[in-house]
Amino acid sequence: MELRLQIIYNYNVNNFHKGVCDLTGKFMRMCLASLVFLLIFCDGVIAKENITLSNLRFSTGEEITEDKDGYKATIYSNENEIMLIFDCNNEDGNNIVAIREDNSICGKAEVCEYAGINIKLHEGINAINIIDKIDGSNIEKLTIDYKRVEVSGIVQKFNVGDKIKLDVDFNDEQHKVKWMSYGIDSLIISEDGEVTAINGGVANLIGMIYDGNKIIGTVKCALLVVGDGEYGWIKNGGQWYYIDPIKKCFKIGKFSYNGKDYYFGKDGSMIN
């Protein structure tokens, strides 16, 4: 009888100890999970890494300078916005916004292949703070002096074969503009803005504004060209081009015509 009672006693004690161990294990696991959560929370919120920017530049190449008061730039353009791109130290780049002194938002960051903000400008001085929209902390200060310029020489109707001359009005300032086209080949444009329409379609033009060798701004415009394509020999801005009437493209490299050899550069202009 005593042996039987001893066995029952030992069984109950063992089960009690096992239950206590199970409860202790569960409690320890709960504590460990809570500790991990707190560490993650502290790292993500309490000890949040500040956003820093470096290598600030404009997509169109205008110069940015830096001093004790922040970054500064002077921009000439016929458009009231410019793309600021930069390197960002973490993945929170999408939380960056640009605000004016009156607290109005003038740009929001987009992070894809690079980080950038398309900043909308007012004519004159634009004092801009780049901030972290999550905590409101200031990241950088940027002051842009935006000088609006206008493109002259644009016509409402531009037929194939027509010629125009584009100019930029700098309000008594003297600067050089180098023109180029991009997109479909609807026209030929020389660096100094002489244009010949060669094929129907919409042509996009961009002019880089220089002060010496330094880019200080850009102008952009689009021209609608009406009519069928013009082929053969075409002269624009003192340069000759040849457009193949069959392939409908510029001749590049060596080209033989009426027993004489001609050479054309990558832009299609003849090399003398």
Side-chain angles (χ1 to χ4, degrees):
M1 181 68 177
E2 290 180 359
L3 177 61
R4 192 178 200 183
L5 290 173
Q6 185 66 38
I7 292 172
I8 294 172
Y9 172 79
N10 291 340
Y11 175 80
N12 290 332
V13 169
N14 290 337
N15 282 346
F16 174 78
H17 287 168
K18 182 179 179 182
V20 170
C21 289
D22 288 343
L23 288 173
T24 302
K26 289 179 180 179
F27 178 76
M28 292 299 293
R29 287 194 293 272
M30 290 175 62
C31 289
L32 181 60
S34 299
L35 179 61
V36 170
F37 173 80
L38 287 174
L39 289 173
I40 294 174
F41 179 80
C42 290
D43 182 65
V45 177
I46 299 176
K48 178 180 177 295
E49 181 183 11
N50 291 330
I51 298 174
T52 59
L53 308 182
S54 60
N55 194 21
L56 275 69
R57 66 267 189 205
F58 294 117
S59 61
T60 41
E62 292 86 349
E63 182 182 51
I64 300 179
T65 59
E66 183 181 10
D67 60 21
K68 60 182 180 62
D69 297 321
Y71 292 90
K72 292 180 171 62
T74 299
I75 302 296
Y76 293 79
S77 181
N78 63 334
E79 297 186 331
N80 67 334
E81 59 183 21
I82 190 166
M83 174 62 76
L84 175 71
I85 56 179
F86 45 80
D87 299 330
C88 186
N89 68 321
N90 60 37
E91 296 179 355
D92 290 337
N94 283 316
N95 294 328
I96 298 172
V97 294
I99 62 172
R100 297 190 182 90
E101 289 183 320
D102 62 1
N103 209 36
S104 61
I105 295 176
C106 57
K108 298 180 181 179
E110 296 181 2
V111 178
C112 44
E113 296 180 3
Y114 56 84
I117 305 177
N118 201 31
I119 299 177
K120 295 188 179 300
L121 302 172
H122 291 157
E123 194 166 355
I125 301 297
N126 294 258
I128 298 166
N129 286 312
I130 301 174
I131 69 168
D132 182 345
K133 69 179 181 181
I134 299 300
D135 58 18
S137 60
N138 191 68
I139 302 172
E140 295 291 355
K141 184 175 181 179
L142 173 64
T143 302
I144 300 177
D145 183 6
Y146 169 49
K147 299 187 177 184
R148 185 172 181 84
V149 295
E150 300 295 339
V151 179
S152 61
I154 297 175
V155 294
Q156 292 184 344
K157 188 175 182 181
F158 198 27
N159 296 314
V160 168
D162 288 351
K163 297 179 183 291
I164 59 174
K165 176 69 167 67
L166 299 180
D167 288 301
V168 178
D169 182 8
F170 293 106
N171 297 320
D172 297 328
E173 295 184 35
Q174 297 296 319
H175 299 292
K176 184 176 181 180
V177 182
K178 291 184 179 179
W179 288 93
M180 66 187 75
S181 63
Y182 59 97
I184 63 173
D185 295 324
S186 292
L187 52 76
I188 302 171
I189 184 168
S190 65
E191 283 192 354
D192 61 356
E194 294 189 31
V195 184
T196 300
I198 60 172
N199 195 21
V202 177
N204 296 295
L205 307 175
I206 183 170
M208 310 300 295
I209 304 171
Y210 287 84
D211 183 9
N213 294 323
K214 181 175 67 176
I215 298 174
I216 60 172
T218 56
V219 287
K220 298 177 182 178
C221 59
L223 293 174
L224 174 62
V225 180
V226 180
D228 296 328
E230 185 171 334
Y231 307 107
W233 291 99
I234 298 174
K235 189 176 184 180
N236 180 74
Q239 291 282 350
W240 281 100
Y241 302 80
Y242 187 86
I243 301 178
D244 192 307
I246 298 176
K247 296 182 179 180
K248 298 181 181 180
C249 62
F250 290 99
K251 284 292 184 182
I252 296 175
K254 182 179 178 181
F255 171 57
S256 296
Y257 185 83
N258 288 341
K260 186 176 180 180
D261 293 336
Y262 299 89
Y263 296 88
F264 297 86
K266 293 182 179 180
D267 63 348
S269 62
M270 188 172 69
I271 301 172
N272 295 324

